[in-house]
Amino acid sequence: MEELQGTVENIIFASQDGRFSVFRLRLEGQRGIATVTVQMEPPLQGQQLELKGTWVEHPRFGQQFKAEHMLVAAPTSLEGIERFLASGAVDGIGPVNAKRIVAKFGGMALDIIEKSPNRLKEIAGIGAKTAAKIHTSYMEKAELRQIMVWLEQHNVSGIYAGKIYARYGSFAVEVMEKNPYRLAREIDGIGFSAADAIAAGIGLQADDEMRISAALEYQLRRISLYGHCCVPEGLLVDEVERALGVSRDKIWDTLKRDLAEGTLDQEVVGGNVLVYPEYLYQAETETAEHLLFLQEQAAPVSGGDAAAQIKKWEISSGITLAERQREAIQCVLTHGIFVLTGGPGTGKTTVVRGMLDLLESYGLSVMLGAPTGRAAKRLSEATGRKAVTIHRMLEAQGGTTDGAAFGRNIDDPLETDAIILDEVSMMDIILMRHFLEAVPAGCHLILVGDVDQLPAVGPGSVLKDILRSGVIPSVCLSEVYRQSEASSIVMNAHAINSGRLPQFSADKSDFEFIEINNPEAAEQKIVTLCRDSLPALGFSPTEDIQVLSPMHRQSCGVESLNKRLQSALNPPAAYKPEYVSSIRCFRLGDKVMQTKNNYDKGVFNGDIGFIEHMTEEQVTVRYGDDVLAAYEKAELNEIQLAYCMSVHKSQGSEYPVVILPLVPGHRIMLQRNLLYTAITRAKKKVILIGSRAALNTAISNDRTRRRYTLLAERLSRDL
């Protein structure tokens, strides 16, 4: 393994997920410039590096140094110091202050920041508060370098130091020496393999029980990413054996110990043992308990002839209900929990309005909610009442992904007589458990959704399992009312859901298929539609048109289309500030999406906003009319461009126009419920672009991946 030392000249490439980058390194001793590749986020310009790796010959790009270990040191040259400070590595310093600091203190600049930060006040524009911020940030970087050195000394790449320091601070080395596998469990982006490398570096044996136990837990968490709450024990042991290569008997012994000690949980169904991570076992069992409790506690609503009240509502509303619709409205008066399902055009919205009016006519207070802000807005527009996200309903206050803290819970429940939740198919088992904890005894709960859409991104199949149990009363609306008036979107959605090809007719312009077999040409057509053709028909490129894609990568994927659409719809201009890193580019006016729950800012996964203000230090995004969120540079990984988004992220939303590419490269994701979900997001127009072969693949593929869950069995008391 060879060694290189030098200063980062510039970044050539960085992958969107931060797992690969290419940069130029100016070598020490006037030895020229080397091209370096590394499996991590790129370093900062001006940083001084010590690298270990090998030289390789790329068939297209020539000689490159493939770095396997990277140690960051403080820069020494004046140019290197200025570039390092200007790169954003130290909070409170931008390009202007970096130049002033180096001009004032020269090669002593970093020593001044570390040992005499008060002297920074000698620089114009730097006050006491900013000087303290700069000092604190730089000292954090010093501790970060210590962690990197420790990792390198134990034959582990220092590329993980940043995330480890962010989580454990000064205790990072102590945590790694005691139980490095905590990193796989507690730090986003550090998987089992990275923690395992650290464990090997400190001398942990390959068949150590700590290692096997961590592998069991890691595999269960990895399996949950595919929507499972549990997994058969044999499959779990197979996965761990494949990953570790240790004795199968040792894995079985460790699994039995973890089950006996309660580190993991299990259920036996038909002689098969299903293993759970503890947090999902708790979420599933408590969800079932709360549903059964609420079903028993809510007394029937009395106060007159319900049928007469419904008839009275029909007359006042000018609506004639079908028998199934009338049955659904009456059910909410007699059952503690009720489920309403149905596809587009089946009258779900009409029934929800009827339920709401009827419950209020009996003097009940009703809350309306949905999993996302966009779904809540739709529900509010449909009912004329206030609707909120479930997170806001529960007064989310922060916490971890699977242990979030909520102001409303079992000790301080919601204050209402009835709750109507829409888009319940989007709810995973964890959110449903938190929600049900806050529902007071005696409250009537109405769950509304479409089971034919894509399942929740998180673990569980809550809505399907509730229906599968047969325990909770439900009505499924299947008839499309006023078919002669129904749009092609509605009729084609039902055709696709039945496995039939959609109809593209010349006399109806709300459902189009543009056949383009070349993915690059399809991308260009999408840009033309969004920039020119559809705006000419009166549609706003950013407000009315939403491009969806089955996949994130490849041609016609989310990442590629976002870059093209940003360039076309919000091109650079002298008056538009930009934030440009090696991974992402944001520009004033960009349409962006929040990608994780941030309780402190009050924005949640899937929220859409627009960049309203930018400075060297912050990017400010407006979400709707009432939320303004400011992001420091280190927080910008929480947002992404949203000119195009995945079909999964579009759930619960509705847009005037939806454009969906269907190309052979997306084959792995092409399935019927994905296509159905995408086109049912559109109100006025759907445009499919791609090959007929890809369209046929999507419609014919009705194989949905089975999710291992036992909520239905718990509800029916079969366990």
Side-chain angles (χ1 to χ4, degrees):
M1 191 173 291
E2 298 188 50
E3 297 184 8
L4 285 185
Q5 294 181 343
T7 304
V8 178
E9 185 78 7
N10 64 297
I11 308 301
I12 299 173
F13 171 78
S15 64
Q16 191 76 14
D17 59 9
R19 295 183 179 181
F20 179 75
S21 58
V22 183
F23 59 91
R24 287 192 175 91
L25 186 76
R26 182 170 293 280
L27 302 175
E28 286 188 353
Q30 305 296 320
R31 291 192 295 149
I33 293 177
T35 300
V36 180
T37 66
V38 64
Q39 299 287 330
M40 63 167 289
E41 289 188 358
L44 299 168
Q45 286 187 353
Q47 282 187 325
Q48 212 158 312
L49 305 180
E50 296 177 10
L51 304 172
K52 293 180 182 179
T54 55
W55 289 99
V56 298
E57 189 71 26
H58 191 282
R60 181 178 173 189
F61 300 113
Q63 191 180 53
Q64 298 178 337
F65 188 78
K66 184 178 180 181
E68 297 181 18
H69 297 267
M70 186 171 82
L71 183 62
V72 180
T76 54
S77 69
L78 294 184
E79 181 186 6
I81 292 171
E82 182 179 334
R83 293 175 70 187
F84 168 69
L85 293 176
S87 68
V90 180
D91 292 343
I93 302 179
V96 174
N97 280 339
K99 184 178 289 293
R100 289 173 178 172
I101 290 171
V102 174
K104 175 72 175 177
F105 301 116
M108 295 295 294
L110 298 182
D111 283 339
I112 294 293
I113 292 172
E114 179 179 353
K115 299 171 183 176
S116 306
N118 283 333
R119 291 199 59 193
L120 292 172
K121 292 186 290 184
E122 299 173 22
I123 305 295
I126 298 181
K129 187 176 180 181
T130 301
K133 181 180 182 181
I134 292 170
H135 171 71
T136 300
S137 177
Y138 182 76
M139 293 310 294
E140 287 176 354
K141 298 296 185 295
E143 289 189 328
L144 182 62
R145 287 198 297 274
Q146 292 174 6
I147 297 169
M148 295 182 77
V149 170
W150 186 93
L151 289 168
E152 294 285 351
Q153 288 173 343
H154 291 85
N155 298 316
V156 179
S157 174
I159 63 177
Y160 303 108
K163 289 184 176 180
I164 294 171
Y165 176 76
R167 178 68 174 80
Y168 303 115
S170 301
F171 298 98
V173 172
E174 181 182 339
V175 168
M176 291 187 291
E177 288 178 337
K178 187 174 182 179
N179 183 2
Y181 294 105
R182 282 182 59 184
L183 277 61
R185 182 169 61 251
E186 297 173 359
I187 300 180
D188 183 35
I190 295 185
F192 177 82
S193 59
D196 203 36
I198 296 171
I202 63 175
L204 201 71
Q205 296 299 307
D207 62 350
D208 190 285
E209 282 193 346
M210 182 190 295
R211 181 177 188 242
I212 297 173
S213 183
L216 288 165
E217 182 180 1
Y218 171 71
Q219 289 298 334
L220 282 172
R221 284 182 174 267
R222 189 180 69 83
I223 288 166
S224 74
L225 296 177
Y226 295 94
H228 304 295
C229 290
C230 53
V231 66
E233 60 176 355
L235 289 180
L236 177 60
V237 171
D238 289 344
E239 290 292 326
V240 173
E241 182 184 27
R242 189 177 299 113
L244 300 189
V246 301
S247 165
R248 191 174 180 84
D249 290 340
K250 188 81 172 180
I251 299 171
W252 277 110
D253 289 343
T254 304
L255 175 58
K256 289 174 182 176
R257 187 206 67 185
D258 288 350
L259 289 170
E261 293 179 355
T263 306
L264 304 176
D265 290 286
Q266 66 178 334
E267 288 290 358
V268 181
V269 181
N272 297 314
V273 176
L274 294 164
V275 183
Y276 287 79
E278 189 276 335
Y279 76 104
L280 287 179
Y281 182 83
Q282 185 178 15
E284 192 176 89
T285 54
E286 291 186 8
T287 295
E289 290 168 2
H290 285 306
L291 285 169
L292 293 172
F293 174 77
L294 292 170
Q295 185 182 36
E296 295 168 356
Q297 291 295 307
V301 178
S302 59
D305 184 347
Q309 288 290 97
I310 294 172
K311 188 64 179 176
K312 182 179 177 182
W313 179 82
E314 289 184 73
I315 294 171
S316 64
S317 303
I319 294 171
T320 301
L321 296 171
E323 188 57 38
R324 292 289 282 171
Q325 292 177 311
R326 198 173 290 114
E327 175 191 347
I329 295 176
Q330 191 159 349
C331 278
V332 303
L333 303 177
T334 55
H335 300 292
I337 302 180
F338 175 72
V339 179
L340 175 67
T341 66
T346 58
K348 286 202 310 293
T349 300
T350 299
V351 172
V352 168
R353 285 201 299 262
M355 291 174 172
L356 180 56
D357 289 346
L358 192 63
L359 289 168
E360 289 180 340
S361 74
Y362 281 101
L364 275 65
S365 60
V366 185
M367 296 183 75
L368 303 176
T372 68
R374 289 167 290 163
K377 183 179 180 181
R378 286 180 58 201
L379 182 59
S380 180
E381 291 170 348
T383 60
R385 311 291 206 285
K386 179 182 178 182
V388 297
T389 64
I390 295 171
H391 286 94
R392 288 195 172 91
M393 184 185 290
L394 299 182
E395 299 174 13
Q397 298 175 348
T400 62
T401 300
D402 40 296
F406 294 97
R408 294 293 183 172
N409 50 43
I410 197 166
D411 297 318
D412 189 10
L414 297 164
E415 298 172 7
T416 187
D417 300 315
I419 302 173
I420 299 176
L421 283 190
D422 199 8
E423 298 287 356
V424 177
S425 63
M426 297 177 65
M427 293 183 69
D428 62 30
I429 196 71
I430 298 168
L431 182 58
M432 181 58 83
R433 170 222 177 179
H434 285 301
F435 167 73
L436 292 173
E437 277 186 347
V439 178
C443 179
H444 287 256
L445 178 60
I446 299 100
L447 305 176
V448 184
D450 184 349
V451 292
D452 294 317
Q453 289 187 25
L454 288 168
V457 175
S461 298
V462 177
L463 184 60
K464 283 187 177 180
D465 284 351
I466 289 174
L467 293 169
R468 185 164 62 88
S469 73
V471 171
I472 307 297
S474 65
V475 167
C476 177
L477 302 176
S478 56
E479 181 182 349
V480 178
Y481 298 101
R482 296 185 296 277
Q483 290 196 20
S484 60
E485 301 174 20
S487 69
S488 295
I489 297 171
V490 169
M491 301 310 296
N492 280 330
H494 287 275
I496 289 168
N497 205 28
S498 300
R500 304 192 309 274
L501 284 169
Q503 298 297 308
F504 311 106
S505 56
D507 60 329
K508 285 213 174 186
S509 60
D510 56 359
F511 203 102
E512 294 183 48
F513 177 70
I514 301 174
E515 187 170 5
I516 299 177
N517 292 312
N518 181 286
E520 292 293 327
E523 280 195 353
Q524 186 54 51
K525 181 63 176 178
I526 290 170
V527 170
T528 302
L529 285 167
C530 293
R531 184 189 56 206
D532 304 322
S533 308
L534 290 169
L537 298 176
F539 295 110
S540 164
T542 54
E543 297 284 355
D544 297 335
I545 305 167
Q546 185 59 58
V547 180
L548 305 179
S549 178
M551 295 185 71
H552 281 272
R553 296 177 186 164
Q554 300 187 18
S555 293
C556 289
V558 172
E559 294 174 7
S560 178
L561 283 168
N562 264 325
K563 289 177 182 177
R564 281 186 176 245
L565 290 167
Q566 180 193 43
S567 178
L569 302 180
N570 190 28
Y575 66 90
K576 294 180 186 176
E578 291 185 347
Y579 169 80
V580 181
S581 75
S582 53
I583 300 175
R584 53 184 64 88
C585 171
F586 293 122
R587 190 172 295 134
L588 184 68
D590 271 337
K591 181 179 181 180
V592 296
M593 175 170 57
Q594 177 77 12
T595 60
K596 60 176 68 174
N597 294 335
N598 188 317
Y599 304 94
D600 296 327
K601 298 185 191 301
V603 290
F604 303 100
N605 191 357
D607 285 353
I608 299 291
F610 292 87
I611 295 178
E612 191 170 275
H613 187 62
M614 300 182 76
T615 68
E616 284 188 3
E617 306 300 330
Q618 283 188 338
V619 173
T620 304
V621 179
R622 179 171 293 282
Y623 295 94
D625 298 326
D626 57 347
V627 178
L628 204 61
Y631 297 84
E632 303 292 334
K633 286 185 178 179
E635 299 175 308
L636 289 177
N637 63 341
E638 293 187 15
I639 60 174
Q640 66 182 41
L641 294 175
Y643 300 100
C644 177
M645 69 177 71
S646 69
V647 178
H648 279 88
K649 286 288 189 184
S650 74
Q651 286 180 267
S653 301
E654 199 170 60
Y655 315 97
V657 181
V658 164
I659 301 174
L660 178 72
L662 294 169
V663 297
H666 296 165
R667 185 179 184 85
I668 191 172
M669 291 297 295
L670 295 178
Q671 56 192 49
R672 190 181 302 171
N673 61 352
L674 181 139
L675 179 58
Y676 173 81
T677 300
I679 67 172
T680 54
R681 301 307 92 209
K683 291 190 291 186
K684 296 182 179 179
K685 192 176 187 64
V686 169
I687 303 176
L688 306 180
I689 298 178
S691 72
R692 290 192 178 273
L695 175 62
N696 290 333
T697 296
I699 294 171
S700 61
N701 181 12
D702 194 28
R703 299 186 303 275
T704 55
R705 185 182 287 113
R706 178 189 173 187
R707 293 190 171 193
Y708 286 107
T709 68
L710 293 176
L711 178 61
E713 287 76 9
R714 296 185 195 283
L715 288 170
S716 57
R717 295 184 171 91
D718 288 338
L719 290 179

